[in-house]
Amino acid sequence: DSGVTQTPKHLITATGQRVTLRCSPRSGDLSVYWYQQSLDQGLQFLIQYYNGEERAKGNILERFSAQQFPDLHSELNLSSLELGDSALYFCASSVAPAGGLGAETQYFGPGTRLLVL
Amino acid sequence: DQQVKQNSPSLSVQEGRISILNCDYTNSMFDYFLWYKKYPAEGPTFLISISSIKDKNEDGRFTVFLNKSAKHLSLHIVPSQPGDSAVYFCAARPPIQGAQKLVFGQGTRLTINP
């Protein structure tokens, strides 16, 4: 157990709908990351927050948005869903936003499996 | 544009032998490389990392080798154990001030046979 929790575990919805995925980081971690893993693909970085502030953005679609709240939990909002958005969405957390002399270890949650029908 | 590639989707190794997982990258600016391990229904777990200024890092049974001229890294597991059966992802970090945006490969499924 990494200490990162994600809800819900599974989500089935229809095209055109909007969903919200939730992530609670490990106790003490200030940085949160979101990744998307489509079938047979590696993890694609979506976005990083640190203490409520956006720090880095990947190829996140305009239909997707995220935020980190004062209690440090984060939500990823996916709207106007398409079939191709079906994927595993992972949240990860770390203490600092980036490593100093080393890479900052990211701790991953178990993921939310989204199926768009 | 796949900046980090793991060309072998799967690998099967006998228990007790060496497992070698490979990864190639295209961006010479990456400053750190990491390996993550993933079991079914779980998130990836950090395994080992290496700085771009080193060519080897060892942690117990796991050793990562970096060949910068070839833009290639490999993970060696010796000896391989049944619990090592998992999907292994290599990842690379572009140097971004105050942020960490990892670029992952597609993963290699390692199966250790008894």
Side-chain angles (χ1 to χ4, degrees):
Chain A
D1 183 355
S2 66
V4 178
T5 59
Q6 290 186 248
T7 56
K9 276 193 164 175
H10 304 274
L11 199 46
I12 301 174
T13 189
T15 53
Q17 294 298 304
R18 174 191 165 96
V19 297
T20 298
L21 312 184
R22 184 188 166 106
C23 168
S24 292
R26 289 187 328 154
S27 176
D29 283 0
L30 298 177
S31 199
V32 168
Y33 312 77
W34 286 97
Y35 292 87
Q36 178 193 54
Q37 185 184 17
S38 302
L39 194 64
D40 294 333
Q41 297 291 312
L43 287 80
Q44 302 289 322
F45 171 81
L46 295 178
I47 199 162
Q48 177 191 3
Y49 281 86
Y50 175 70
N51 208 17
E53 179 187 294
E54 183 184 304
R55 278 296 178 107
K57 221 166 179 174
N59 293 329
I60 186 168
L61 299 171
E62 282 191 21
R63 301 183 285 108
F64 295 4
S65 66
Q67 54 184 323
Q68 186 180 28
F69 293 86
D71 67 353
L72 302 175
H73 90 273
S74 178
E75 292 180 358
L76 178 66
N77 300 296
L78 316 176
S79 61
S80 303
L81 284 167
E82 301 175 359
L83 296 178
D85 297 328
S86 296
L88 256 175
Y89 290 84
F90 288 103
C91 168
S93 72
S94 66
V95 174
L101 295 177
E104 188 68 19
T105 299
Q106 295 182 22
Y107 297 87
F108 282 79
T112 292
R113 185 172 293 279
L114 174 66
L115 181 59
V116 183
L117 299 175
Chain B
D1 173 24
Q2 192 73 32
Q3 294 188 69
V4 177
K5 278 188 185 174
Q6 294 176 256
N7 291 314
S8 299
S10 63
L11 176 67
S12 192
V13 173
Q14 207 71 23
E15 182 180 357
R17 307 293 282 265
I18 183 171
S19 295
I20 301 176
L21 296 106
N22 294 302
C23 180
D24 296 299
Y25 63 95
T26 55
N27 186 346
S28 57
M29 298 301 292
F30 288 140
D31 66 352
Y32 264 91
F33 300 89
L34 306 92
W35 284 94
Y36 277 80
K37 173 179 174 177
K38 185 183 179 306
Y39 292 120
E42 293 182 14
T45 304
F46 170 74
L47 203 53
I48 191 169
S49 66
I50 186 168
S51 162
S52 61
I53 62 172
K54 305 216 167 183
D55 53 23
K56 177 182 172 180
N57 188 27
E58 197 171 344
D59 183 2
R61 297 187 297 115
F62 303 92
T63 304
V64 56
F65 295 92
L66 177 61
N67 181 335
K68 282 192 296 293
S69 60
K71 294 195 179 74
H72 177 84
L73 68 154
S74 60
L75 174 69
H76 292 211
I77 306 173
V78 183
S80 301
Q81 298 174 353
D84 296 330
S85 295
V87 177
Y88 289 78
F89 292 97
C90 74
R93 186 182 86 163
I96 301 172
Q97 185 72 18
Q100 181 157 274
K101 174 178 167 177
L102 297 181
V103 181
F104 281 82
Q106 307 95 306
T108 296
R109 182 178 301 279
L110 175 65
T111 303
I112 306 301
N113 303 307

